């Protein structure tokens, strides 16, 4: 039970009966269990993200990623708390290509129930393999924040991008 203080308190009642005297009064013991609160960061990608259906890797196509970082936990992060946010492309077989790392993103004012909005621009690198990819955002990528749930720090686009491998076309002039 969340009570709005620094810890959550759950109350349990336990009745004891000796099994022998049916007329005896049960003994009730109340136990309060305090559970410490934590920060719990989540990531989401705006549903209006504009993903091209196909691109050539390295062609300079810019993709703007509107990202929301939320704190669904019961504690505000420490006053100087900063995290890294990674944006990557994940293929159907799970291969990941790092596209961007935003370092030292401040979350120190991210109160419980609050959120921060950011927009990062990424480009697909020239050497990226051809395939179908989803874009992924990972908040607290280095696990710098002690959280109640570390498994919800990632958001994935619902749409995919077909990537064709880019090539450098070198031509020369000889005298």
């Amino acid at each position: 039970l969340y009570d709005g203080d620094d810890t959550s308190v759950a109350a349990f009642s336990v009745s004891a009966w000796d099994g022998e005297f049916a007329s005896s009064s049960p003994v009730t013991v109340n136990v309060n269990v305090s559970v410490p609160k934590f920060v719990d960061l989540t990531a989401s990608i705006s549903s209006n993200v504009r993903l091209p259906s196909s691109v050539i890797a390295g062609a300079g196509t810019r993709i703007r990623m509107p990202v929301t970082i939320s704190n669904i936990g019961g504690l505000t992060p420490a006053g100087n708390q900063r995290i890294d946010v990674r944006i990557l492309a994940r293929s159907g077989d799970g291969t990941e290509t790092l596209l961007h790392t935003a370092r030292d993103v401040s979350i120190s004012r991210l109160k419980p129930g609050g959120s921060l909005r950011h927009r990062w621009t990424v480009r697909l690198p020239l050497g990226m393999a051809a395939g179908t990819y989803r874009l992924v955002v990972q908040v607290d990528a280095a696990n710098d924040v002690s959280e109640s749930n570390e498994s919800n720090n990632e958001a994935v686009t619902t749409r995919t991008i077909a990537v064709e491998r880019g090539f450098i076309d070198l031509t020369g002039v000889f005298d």
Side-chain angles (χ1 to χ4, degrees):
L1 304 171
Y2 175 66
D3 63 2
D5 294 328
D6 287 342
T7 58
S8 295
V9 178
F12 300 92
S13 292
V14 179
S15 296
W17 178 54
D18 66 5
E20 203 171 301
F21 299 104
S23 62
S24 66
S25 300
V27 175
T28 301
V29 178
N30 291 318
V31 178
N32 289 329
V33 179
S34 294
V35 179
K37 291 182 194 174
F38 289 92
V39 173
D40 189 6
L41 301 177
T42 62
S44 61
I45 301 169
S46 175
S47 60
N48 66 359
V49 63
R50 294 182 184 154
L51 297 179
S53 58
S54 64
V55 297
I56 297 174
T61 302
R62 295 176 356 167
I63 302 170
R64 289 187 178 92
M65 295 289 296
V67 175
T68 301
I69 302 169
S70 300
N71 179 4
I72 62 170
L75 189 67
T76 301
N80 60 352
Q81 186 69 61
R82 296 181 173 280
I83 60 170
D84 289 348
V85 177
R86 295 189 326 169
I87 300 174
L88 32 99
R90 183 179 292 152
S91 69
D93 69 1
T95 302
E96 295 180 344
T97 302
L98 181 64
L99 304 177
H100 180 74
T101 301
R103 300 203 183 279
D104 294 327
V105 176
S106 176
I107 59 166
S108 59
R109 295 185 183 166
L110 190 53
K111 295 180 180 184
S115 60
L116 301 169
R117 291 194 171 104
H118 294 275
R119 184 180 305 259
W120 289 287
T121 301
V122 297
R123 292 189 173 130
L124 305 182
L126 181 63
M128 192 168 172
T132 302
Y133 292 85
R134 292 185 191 277
L135 297 185
V136 178
V137 174
Q138 297 174 337
V139 297
D140 191 26
N143 290 327
D144 292 325
V145 179
S146 180
E147 298 181 64
S148 57
N149 183 356
E150 295 284 355
S151 66
N152 62 355
N153 292 5
E154 180 176 288
V156 182
T157 57
T158 55
R159 292 186 27 228
T160 59
I161 302 173
V163 175
E164 294 180 39
R165 187 174 183 129
F167 295 96
I168 298 176
D169 211 4
L170 300 175
T171 57
V173 176
F174 297 96
D175 292 330

